[in-house]
Amino acid sequence: MRFPRNSVLIPTRTPAPTGAGGGLLPKRDLATAWFLVVLIAVPAWALTIGQARDMGIEPGTMGMALPLFLLLWVTMMAAMMLPSMAPVAITWVRGIGRQSSGWIRAARTAEFLGGYLMVWTAFGALAYAGLAFTGDLVANHPTAGRWIGFTAFLLAGLYQLGPLKYVCLRHCRDPMSHLMQYAGFRAPARDLRVGVHHGAYCVGCCAGLMVVLIPLGVMNVAAMAGLAVVIFVEKLWTRGPLLARVVGLAFLVLAVLVPFQDWPLPGLRDSMPPTDGM
């Protein structure tokens, strides 16, 4: 299906990348890919859950220095993002394997993954700055917590319904044309550029969802699991774009509720006065 160049709308039902309409991987390779995804994602989730138990749900950066936060952030992103980006990544890595072998293949694969991780690490640094700012604000002005939650849900909802979300989601849902574009990238740093390019679209697709970790709590395992499911379904289900809109509307509803309700703000609630004191 072709879209007008100036249009930002996409249909609510489109072929999923790994479904019958996409066919990025043969069934046997797809089964192997999902096995590898589970093999990597399960330890990432185990480490994330273990850290969450030790740290609890608190506002801000929970006293973590930036290097530790980025290490934990990348682990969290591996747990949350890997299932949804695996088909594209494995397709590109298989292409590397057909073109090279030995240490050259290993170096090119590491370069591709490094580019992807660079983008998410940079986004993690922005997340750290945002969490540090909101944490300090809540510590100094406890009543600000509700308005931080309101702003976060409002921005997330508007982003989910906005054009940039759907430009990035279209890329992540139908990446074949972009894989063909990547084949035209030239050395040096070809695979690094591919990783950065695809990672940037991935961040753009999920940025609004990540914003709600401010009110929900960055170490809230239930919230991370829920967002991981949303990310997976948005990218791989035929009605993923419709789900994105529904989630955006839900965030806007929460934005209306949070000035008067504490339950949508587990990441900020302990530092705020009760609602009766408003």
Side-chain angles (χ1 to χ4, degrees), residues 33-43 82:
W34 283 116
F35 174 76
L36 294 174
V37 167
V38 172
L39 198 64
I40 298 172
V42 168
L82 187 59

Side-chain angles (χ1 to χ4, degrees), residues 21-277:
L24 284 182
L25 295 173
K27 290 184 178 180
R28 180 178 297 179
D29 292 337
L30 188 60
T32 302
W34 283 116
F35 174 76
L36 294 174
V37 167
V38 172
L39 198 64
I40 298 172
V42 168
W45 272 109
L47 179 59
T48 300
I49 292 171
Q51 289 293 327
R53 286 180 176 176
D54 293 338
M55 302 178 71
I57 302 175
E58 299 178 9
T61 62
M62 295 164 288
M64 286 186 287
L66 179 59
L68 177 60
F69 177 87
L70 290 179
L71 179 62
L72 185 58
W73 175 265
V74 170
T75 302
M76 289 168 51
M77 292 305 105
M80 295 175 65
M81 305 300 302
L82 187 59
S84 64
M85 60 83 63
V88 176
I90 293 174
T91 299
W92 184 257
V93 170
R94 286 180 72 243
I96 291 175
R98 288 193 295 267
Q99 299 172 7
S100 57
S101 60
W103 69 268
I104 295 178
R105 177 172 58 187
R108 290 188 60 190
T109 301
E111 192 175 321
F112 166 73
L113 295 176
Y116 189 85
L117 292 176
M118 279 174 56
V119 175
W120 275 105
T121 301
F123 186 63
L126 293 176
Y128 183 86
L131 288 167
F133 173 75
T134 56
D136 291 343
L137 190 60
V138 169
N140 296 324
H141 307 282
T143 57
R146 300 187 206 284
W147 302 109
I148 292 172
F150 166 80
T151 302
F153 282 120
L154 178 64
L155 292 177
L158 293 176
Y159 188 88
Q160 283 287 113
L161 298 173
L164 182 58
K165 166 74 178 187
Y166 291 98
V167 169
C168 296
L169 185 58
R170 177 169 33 179
H171 170 95
C172 293
R173 287 177 55 80
D174 186 20
M176 183 58 73
S177 61
H178 297 279
L179 289 173
M180 295 175 65
Q181 175 190 353
Y182 295 159
F185 286 4
R186 296 182 179 181
R190 173 190 182 188
D191 300 293
L192 179 67
R193 288 177 59 198
V194 173
V196 169
H197 191 273
H198 184 64
Y201 273 104
C202 192
V203 167
C205 188
C206 306
L209 298 173
M210 296 297 105
V211 168
V212 301
L213 288 176
I214 293 176
L216 296 179
V218 72
M219 296 305 299
N220 187 332
V221 174
M224 285 188 285
L227 292 176
V229 171
V230 170
I231 292 167
F232 181 85
V233 175
E234 277 187 356
K235 291 183 179 181
L236 301 182
W237 187 35
T238 55
R239 294 190 180 274
L242 177 61
L243 174 66
R245 294 187 179 98
V246 171
V247 172
L249 291 173
F251 287 160
L252 294 180
V253 170
L254 290 174
V256 174
L257 292 177
V258 292
F260 313 102
Q261 299 288 332
D262 291 344
W263 60 266
L265 306 172
L268 301 169
R269 186 168 49 210
D270 292 344
S271 59
M272 298 187 308
T275 305
D276 294 340

